[in-house]
Amino acid sequence: MTLRLDTVSLHSRERPLLDAVSLTLHPGEIVAVIGPNGAGKSTLLRLASGLVAPTSGTVSLDGTPIGDLPPERLAARRAMLGQDSVLRARFSVAELVRLGIRPPCPPARREAIASEALRRVGLEAFAGRDVMSLSGGERQRAHLARVLAQLAPSMHAGRPGFLLLDEPISAQDLARQRLVMDIARDHARQGGGCLMVLHDLNWAASRADRILVLNHGRTCAEGAPAEVLTPDMLKTAFDIAAPRLRIHVETERPFVIPHDFARFRATTERKSASCISP
Amino acid sequence: MIIRRPGFGATMAGLAVLLLATAIAALAIGATGFGLGGLLHPGSAGRDDVAWLVLSQIRAPRVVLAALTGAALATSGAVMQGLFRNPLADPGLIGVSSGAALGAAIVIAAGGAWLGSGAIGRWGVPVGGMAGSLASTALLYLITTREGVTSTNLVILTGVALGAFAAALTGILIFRANDTALRDLTFWTMGSLAGATWTRIGLLLPFLLAAAILMAGLASPLNALLLGEADAALMGYRVERAKRLAMLGVSVATGPVVAFVGVIGFIGVVVPHLVRMVTGPDHRLVLPGSALLGAILLLTADTIARIIAIPADVPVGVVTAAIGAPLFVWLLIRLHDVDVPS
């Protein structure tokens, strides 16, 4: 069970959006896609989902070209949380989540899948709420619940699929960022694969098995977080001057400090002339 | 804001009962003053045969045609609004109604010359209407589809243009028509159910049945489309096929109806909104709910049209617009928004 992108390119009229990018997503794995704005991260996810066909190269799921799969089968094997999921109707949160479960599905089972998905994203108390009345972060998690519900039937049948998440923590507070990252981790532990676009390098560093760095539509680096997150790469891809890197003593994973570390003090330390400016 | 919804069974049962009551009232009320009572107590008036004739051959087919027409237009409106995610969409907006009117007008204008009163004559008008609506839908589809993808925004804009063009051609036919044809043609521009006969209903039924079958499978895809085309596709729905089926279903439902009763506005736009206010946006309720409420409202409007200026028969399209428009504006002001914002 793999989701494979083989030297895929996508060209718009003016410019290449993605140029010969390859990536294989295995079961049980989280791959984070990072890169500056406009690097082609969302485009990569849209290609991986089969929503857009590449100009050249192939996207295949378990060896079958993704375009050859019937839409229903594809939907049972992969689900995607877009960046701009909009709902143009007054659905309740539970109704929105149930939309993700394709018929035929017995009503009681739909109900069970939906409430389980809502519990996972921490919205079980919001089931009856109007989706339009939610905050941005709540709405993003409601759509995440819909995406989880889409994969739930095949998950229960022992065929966990692929989660494609485009900036799933962009609207989340600190605690909910952790919640969403834990959901991705759980999904991978249960044998699914997760490909997620992240802007927070430290979440990528601490939770991803591999990181793919895109820049100008090309692969800039790919590998384990410690291999990829280097000062040189950060300078090249993000144009951050002199970022500092620390390594976690237990996990050996890198931690990026994009500021001048020497200018900060711990909150418990007393003020001293050396570390504050007036 | 917690959302509460009435159950599917309760909503449909309530609407069905209301439809039955409206139909009975419509049968009982009319210009001749024969009530249903005369039939229930035979021998009391001595005019039973006439009363029976009025009821069975004039009022009853008109009641059935009004209900079928209302159901067809309202359901088509609900499908269009869901498909285009546009609160103003109805078969009229994308030119399906104008195409149907043009097709039927061509048959009528040519009718004096070569159509008899036989099978060709009876089938000619609905088939003309159907051909007109299908032709305008096909043209619309061809213009707005590139590499298998139909642009819904383009459909609306092109539909408006095609509709205006078809209306202009119909106008030319009216301008050049002889007196007989002119009377028949004018009758569409305002819409009227006065021509209802059992034969016409028999001709209409196969089309409406076919449209109902086409639309029955659209509820789930239309629900998914409320999330946008990309998310609907990601959820495994065949978005382009749903668009084709929806456009085909709407033209099959609208074409023959327009051919028989003319262009009746407002039912297609207003009814789905009224239904959504109660049921919410789920098309599994909105579609059958619109069919029932459309039938109820057009039946009511037609009953008003029959009795408001006895012995004259006011065109029902005038009544639906005269009552529907202010009612709709009042509802919009009260609710301040609708459930399918663009």
Side-chain angles (χ1 to χ4, degrees):
Chain A
M1 190 190 97
T2 52
L3 180 62
R4 185 190 298 271
L5 291 91
D6 192 6
T7 50
V8 291
S9 301
L10 186 72
H11 294 262
S12 79
R13 256 167 247 168
E14 311 89 44
R15 64 198 179 98
L17 299 172
L18 213 58
D19 194 10
V21 174
S22 294
L23 176 72
T24 305
L25 184 61
H26 300 282
E29 191 180 41
I30 296 180
V31 174
V33 184
I34 64 170
N37 293 143
K41 305 183 294 296
S42 297
T43 303
L44 182 78
L45 247 64
R46 289 160 67 83
L47 284 166
S49 72
L51 193 60
V52 178
T55 316
S56 64
T58 55
V59 181
S60 57
L61 183 62
D62 302 341
T64 312
I66 211 162
D68 293 351
L69 286 168
E72 308 82 32
R73 278 217 8 233
L74 183 58
R77 305 282 294 118
R78 67 92 185 90
M80 174 161 147
L81 175 70
Q83 244 185 94
D84 45 4
S85 281
V86 284
L87 181 64
R88 297 164 182 238
R90 191 145 286 148
F91 277 113
S92 73
V93 173
E95 286 169 335
L96 168 67
V97 175
R98 284 200 294 266
L99 278 185
I101 310 160
R102 277 187 57 89
C105 182
R109 189 160 152 68
R110 274 166 86 94
E111 205 67 47
I113 290 174
S115 36
E116 166 65 8
L118 281 175
R119 189 194 58 73
R120 286 180 73 186
V121 303
L123 287 177
E124 64 268 60
F126 290 65
R129 278 270 296 271
D130 181 348
V131 177
M132 305 237 216
S133 74
L134 299 182
S135 75
E138 289 161 352
R139 203 174 307 170
Q140 190 180 37
R141 277 182 288 135
H143 280 284
L144 176 61
R146 169 177 63 76
V147 166
L148 294 173
Q150 182 180 327
L151 289 183
S154 47
M155 193 95 179
H156 292 166
R159 287 170 61 82
F162 293 98
L163 266 183
L164 310 175
L165 308 175
D166 198 351
E167 296 191 35
I169 57 173
S170 60
Q172 303 304 322
D173 62 39
L174 263 181
R176 272 58 174 259
Q177 289 180 18
R178 175 180 293 262
L179 178 75
V180 171
M181 295 306 290
D182 285 349
I183 287 171
R185 186 79 270 172
D186 286 346
H187 181 76
R189 278 210 191 97
Q190 289 169 45
C194 183
L195 181 63
M196 61 205 307
V197 171
L198 289 174
H199 274 304
D200 188 319
L201 302 185
N202 291 319
W203 274 122
S206 70
R207 295 300 175 94
D209 298 299
R210 275 185 299 142
I211 293 179
L212 172 71
V213 189
L214 288 180
N215 196 13
H216 300 303
R218 291 199 187 87
T219 302
C220 183
E222 193 207 331
E227 300 162 25
V228 167
L229 293 176
T230 60
D232 280 352
M233 189 286 294
L234 293 172
K235 178 81 183 82
T236 316
F238 293 95
D239 199 23
I240 311 176
R244 288 171 185 255
L245 282 163
R246 293 287 180 275
I247 302 296
H248 193 283
V249 288
E250 285 161 16
T251 64
E252 290 291 317
R253 286 173 184 262
F255 189 87
V256 182
I257 302 147
H259 311 285
D260 183 354
F261 194 59
R263 310 284 308 165
F264 294 86
R265 63 176 171 79
T267 50
T268 49
E269 281 170 22
R270 293 189 60 82
K271 287 183 182 180
S272 73
S274 68
C275 60
I276 56 158
S277 43
Chain B
M1 201 171 134
I2 299 290
I3 290 181
R4 297 189 196 290
R5 309 251 196 250
F8 178 84
T11 312
M12 295 307 142
L15 285 169
V17 168
L18 200 56
L19 175 58
L20 198 67
T22 317
I24 291 170
L27 281 173
I29 300 168
T32 53
F34 300 142
L36 290 175
L39 285 177
L40 296 174
H41 305 285
S44 58
R47 293 190 301 181
D48 293 346
D49 288 349
V50 183
W52 173 247
L53 207 65
V54 168
L55 279 173
S56 68
Q57 296 305 315
I58 297 176
R59 282 190 207 163
R62 187 159 173 167
V63 162
V64 173
L65 186 62
L68 289 175
T69 302
L73 293 177
T75 316
S76 298
V79 168
M80 293 273 105
Q81 287 168 16
L83 181 65
F84 298 122
R85 278 150 284 151
N86 184 315
L88 280 177
D90 80 335
L93 181 73
I94 62 159
V96 176
S97 304
S98 314
L102 175 63
I106 290 171
V107 173
I108 287 218
W114 51 271
L115 283 177
S117 57
I120 299 175
R122 271 188 282 128
W123 282 95
V125 174
V127 168
M130 171 88 180
S133 73
L134 275 180
S136 75
T137 310
L139 191 59
L140 188 59
Y141 181 77
L142 286 176
I143 293 173
T144 56
T145 304
R146 287 277 174 282
E147 291 166 8
V149 178
T150 312
S151 154
T152 46
N153 284 335
L154 214 54
V155 168
I156 294 178
L157 295 173
T158 314
V160 169
L162 285 181
F165 189 67
L169 293 182
T170 310
I172 292 172
L173 285 175
I174 291 175
F175 186 69
R176 294 181 53 89
N178 61 37
D179 282 352
T180 327
L182 185 62
R183 203 184 58 235
D184 289 342
L185 287 167
T186 313
F187 137 109
W188 278 325
T189 54
M190 292 187 281
S192 170
L193 292 151
T197 62
W198 288 118
T199 315
R200 290 189 158 192
I201 288 165
L203 296 176
L204 198 56
L205 273 177
F207 293 115
L208 296 187
L209 210 62
I213 291 167
L214 281 171
M215 289 177 183
L218 286 173
S220 290
L222 287 177
N223 283 345
L225 276 169
L226 290 173
L227 288 164
E229 290 185 18
D231 277 326
L234 286 168
M235 277 151 49
Y237 290 96
R238 296 164 196 256
V239 172
E240 295 307 319
R241 193 175 75 167
K243 285 184 201 166
R244 285 196 295 273
L245 286 181
M247 285 167 74
L248 184 65
V250 165
S251 63
V252 170
T254 315
V257 164
V258 172
F260 279 141
V261 304
V263 181
I264 297 177
F266 257 91
I267 293 285
V269 180
V270 177
V271 170
H273 290 296
L274 295 175
V275 173
R276 272 189 220 102
M277 285 171 191
V278 179
T279 65
D282 187 339
H283 286 89
R284 288 170 303 173
L285 277 92
V286 172
L287 296 184
S290 295
L292 287 169
L293 191 63
I296 292 165
L297 290 188
L298 192 58
L299 198 46
T300 309
D302 186 51
T303 309
I304 293 171
R306 283 194 287 132
I307 59 171
I308 199 168
I310 291 172
D313 201 340
V314 179
V316 68
V318 174
V319 177
T320 56
I323 298 176
L327 176 77
F328 191 48
V329 171
W330 174 75
L331 277 170
L332 290 180
I333 292 168
R334 235 192 94 203
L335 281 151
H336 213 73
D337 62 358
V338 285
D339 241 335
V340 188
S342 59

